[in-house]
Amino acid sequence: MGSIPLFSPDDVNASVESAKYAFSKWSEKSARERSIVLFKAASLVREEQDRLSKLLTSEQGKILPEAKNEIQGFANVLEFYASIAGAVFGTALPKSDYGYSFTKKEPIGVCGAIIPWNMPVLIMAWKIGPAIASGCSIVLKPSQKTPLTTIEIAGIMKRAGLPDGVLEIVTGRGDIVGGAIAKSREISALSFTGSASTGAEVERLSCGTRKRLTLELGGSDPMVVCSDADIDLAVSGAVSGRFYNCGQTCTAVKRLFVFEDIYDSFLSKLKERTEKISVGNGLLKGVMMGPLNSREGLLSIEKLADEEVGKGADIISGGKIISGGDFDKGNFFEPTIIANPDFQSRLLREEVFGPILPVVPVNSLDTAIEYSNNTEFGLGASVWTKNLKDAYAFSEGVDAGIVWVNKHLKIPPEVPFGGEKSSGTGRENGISALEHYMREKTVIISP
Ligand code: NAD
């Protein structure tokens, strides 16, 4: 499909040097000038969305409508940051014995970004949008599995007027290239998105470099369906929440807890909807779910399903690799629903990155909250109910960075997003992400 350079640590350091030079000029631009470039880039990306979406589907596997959605999401995020580039202010402080004081917010310097393969374009925007808007330069490492659309978009950013060096793309192996970014003392802030284990390694490697660190890590999001929920709406939410991007989304619905009195009817509707999902090549019309991104991912999902069956769980739908004909060219797995999983199973405790949804009955909201919190993760969570009191109680009790009521998965650019527990630290999106890329300076003027 394409080839990419394999950067060495020295190559990464050279990119950091270019970004350092670019920072000295870019940080001097007004917020208005930076906004103009971001708006232009968003508009060029929209113009080229068909070509970019096909490239993204080809390298990542997601179906074309999802790829288009992601490309549009990129443009939405850039436009959001273009519109608030000048919106972070310092404070004027009361006169003291020493004179007048004020604080101002300055771009922090050269920044780093390390991103995963599952949503490479949207996550690129979450990082470069606020960094570029605030006047920083940024060195970004895409996943070695999905570098191509990122590189194309970086070219578009240049065409939009982004000066050389403000956005440096560095490609190659995670441990070498990502490791060099984490260890660099010239990088003032790093935003990492990826698995919890790599996040821990990045934290270790960054230690002592005094860089500001945001970690956006994995999740095992619970979805709770209460007795009074709109069942059809909740079934749709569970299906799209789990099978979007073939289940490879950090905030996918990964565990489903359904109130006992609606459990049977819910499960039969869920089965019916799941069995209507057509699986195939994401470039083809009518396909609703593409392949997993890697063979390794496919085999780990198969192993999990087999493990559950071995422990006595019931496969309600799916459960198998799809093979034969064109299916042998990709990593296709049936959309799978598993009932009565073992409570200690990996399916209910670890992050499962693929199209398997475990369903568990619960007898009360308290139990649902207890089960929801029974994992090391705390990224997203949702509750489906018409009762505001229950919605509020769930939002209070659940360990999560983002809680949806009667929705799951959707994250508009203005909403802060991030996790608790092993799901990470810090927030992306929203105006608060600009703060990650800025430092506060105090000025005292003596009379
Ligand atoms: P990963 O941790 O394997 O890789 C992420 C990035 O880190 C890649 O660019 C990789 O090359 C790089 N990397 C690998 N080893 C490194 C090292 N030693 N030092 C520095 N960088 C290194 O994750 P993945 O498989 O690409 O992505 C899937 C994971 O990302 C899932 O856990 C998913 O939940 C998570 N994710 C989280 C969010 C979020 O916002 N919280 C969003 C999307 C994905």
Side-chain angles (χ1 to χ4, degrees):
M1 268 199 69
S3 61
I4 51 158
L6 293 177
F7 277 58
S8 67
D10 283 347
D11 296 330
V12 174
N13 292 337
S15 293
V16 173
E17 280 307 310
S18 301
K20 207 168 151 186
Y21 177 75
F23 173 74
S24 65
K25 311 271 180 222
W26 185 246
S27 56
E28 291 296 310
K29 301 265 185 216
S30 68
R32 192 185 64 83
E33 286 173 292
R34 298 195 293 260
S35 295
I36 289 169
V37 174
L38 287 172
F39 274 127
K40 176 78 183 163
S43 138
L44 291 178
V45 164
R46 286 193 198 285
E47 276 171 27
E48 297 212 32
Q49 63 167 312
D50 287 343
R51 181 178 72 83
L52 293 169
S53 310
K54 279 186 193 137
L55 182 60
L56 179 56
T57 292
S58 305
E59 68 171 337
Q60 201 274 347
K62 63 185 62 186
I63 59 172
L64 210 46
E66 291 176 0
K68 268 195 188 146
N69 202 22
E70 185 168 345
I71 302 293
Q72 283 163 2
F74 177 93
N76 294 344
V77 172
L78 249 52
E79 283 162 356
F80 172 69
Y81 284 107
S83 66
I84 60 162
V88 175
F89 314 115
T91 358
L93 298 156
K95 188 181 175 201
S96 74
D97 292 345
Y98 308 113
Y100 295 96
S101 315
F102 65 93
T103 65
K104 57 194 194 110
K105 296 287 174 78
E106 298 178 341
I108 195 167
V110 178
C111 300
I114 302 177
I115 59 179
W117 52 265
N118 67 325
M119 306 281 278
V121 175
L122 185 64
I123 292 169
M124 177 188 190
W126 286 356
K127 300 193 191 306
I128 69 169
I132 293 174
S134 62
C136 295
S137 56
I138 183 159
V139 178
L140 179 142
K141 185 212 167 296
S143 166
Q144 54 276 45
K145 293 176 180 167
T146 52
L148 300 178
T149 321
T150 311
I151 292 170
E152 279 298 310
I153 289 181
I156 292 176
M157 302 287 302
K158 262 193 184 180
R159 277 200 273 130
L162 194 68
D164 283 348
V166 176
L167 171 60
E168 289 279 324
I169 305 290
V170 291
T171 49
R173 273 178 48 175
D175 53 346
I176 295 174
V177 179
I181 292 176
K183 283 190 258 181
S184 170
R185 289 180 169 270
E186 301 290 343
I187 290 180
S188 308
L190 169 59
S191 179
F192 170 86
T193 302
S195 61
S197 55
T198 313
E201 177 64 2
V202 165
E203 196 170 16
R204 195 186 65 74
L205 294 172
S206 306
C207 193
T209 64
R210 291 183 302 275
K211 60 171 61 70
R212 201 177 278 175
L213 194 59
T214 296
L215 296 172
E216 298 291 349
L217 310 177
S220 182
D221 287 15
M223 166 171 172
V224 172
V225 187
C226 301
S227 309
D228 68 338
D230 176 331
I231 294 198
D232 291 327
L233 187 73
V235 167
S236 292
V239 169
S240 60
R242 174 72 274 197
F243 300 117
Y244 189 85
N245 198 14
C246 195
Q248 305 164 116
T249 306
C250 54
T251 49
V253 172
K254 298 199 178 110
R255 296 169 298 143
L256 182 55
F257 302 117
V258 181
F259 273 46
E260 276 169 358
D261 53 343
I262 55 160
Y263 180 78
D264 289 338
S265 61
F266 187 92
L267 202 57
S268 80
K269 286 190 175 190
L270 184 64
K271 176 179 164 66
E272 196 186 315
R273 281 289 306 274
T274 302
E275 287 176 352
K276 285 193 180 138
I277 297 175
S278 60
V279 182
N281 180 338
L283 290 172
L284 299 178
K285 244 193 169 155
V287 168
M288 293 157 80
M289 191 179 90
L292 283 116
N293 177 262
S294 70
R295 196 79 198 158
E296 182 197 354
L298 177 73
L299 296 179
S300 81
I301 288 299
E302 182 189 40
K303 191 166 171 227
L304 259 173
D306 290 349
E307 255 176 47
E308 286 309 315
V309 174
K311 286 182 187 161
D314 300 321
I315 301 275
I316 303 297
S317 341
K320 294 257 173 302
I321 287 180
I322 311 176
S323 56
D326 280 351
F327 285 116
D328 290 339
K329 294 185 192 150
N331 308 305
F332 296 97
F333 199 82
E334 293 172 336
T336 299
I337 307 285
I338 294 188
N340 302 315
D342 181 82
F343 246 79
Q344 295 309 317
S345 75
R346 296 198 287 132
L347 204 49
L348 289 182
R349 302 183 72 88
E350 296 179 8
E351 179 181 45
V352 175
F353 230 50
I356 298 191
L357 181 58
V359 194
V360 175
V362 288
N363 58 13
S364 69
L365 192 64
D366 284 347
T367 312
I369 292 172
E370 185 194 327
Y371 288 180
S372 294
N373 291 341
N374 189 26
T375 145
E376 64 168 302
F377 295 105
L379 194 56
S382 67
V383 64
W384 299 67
T385 179
K386 296 189 187 97
N387 183 330
L388 203 52
K389 209 168 142 220
D390 285 347
Y392 188 73
F394 182 79
S395 77
E396 292 256 289
V398 74
D399 295 331
I402 181 163
V403 180
W404 291 271
V405 178
N406 299 324
K407 199 161 264 320
H408 204 112
L409 207 67
K410 303 288 181 200
I411 305 166
E414 57 278 7
V415 165
F417 170 66
E420 297 299 326
K421 304 198 304 196
S422 295
S423 292
T425 52
R427 292 290 178 266
E428 293 201 297
N429 259 12
I431 195 162
S432 54
L434 279 178
E435 306 267 349
H436 175 74
Y437 296 99
M438 292 183 146
R439 63 182 182 189
E440 186 170 52
K441 184 179 276 177
T442 303
V443 180
I444 300 174
I445 302 175
S446 233

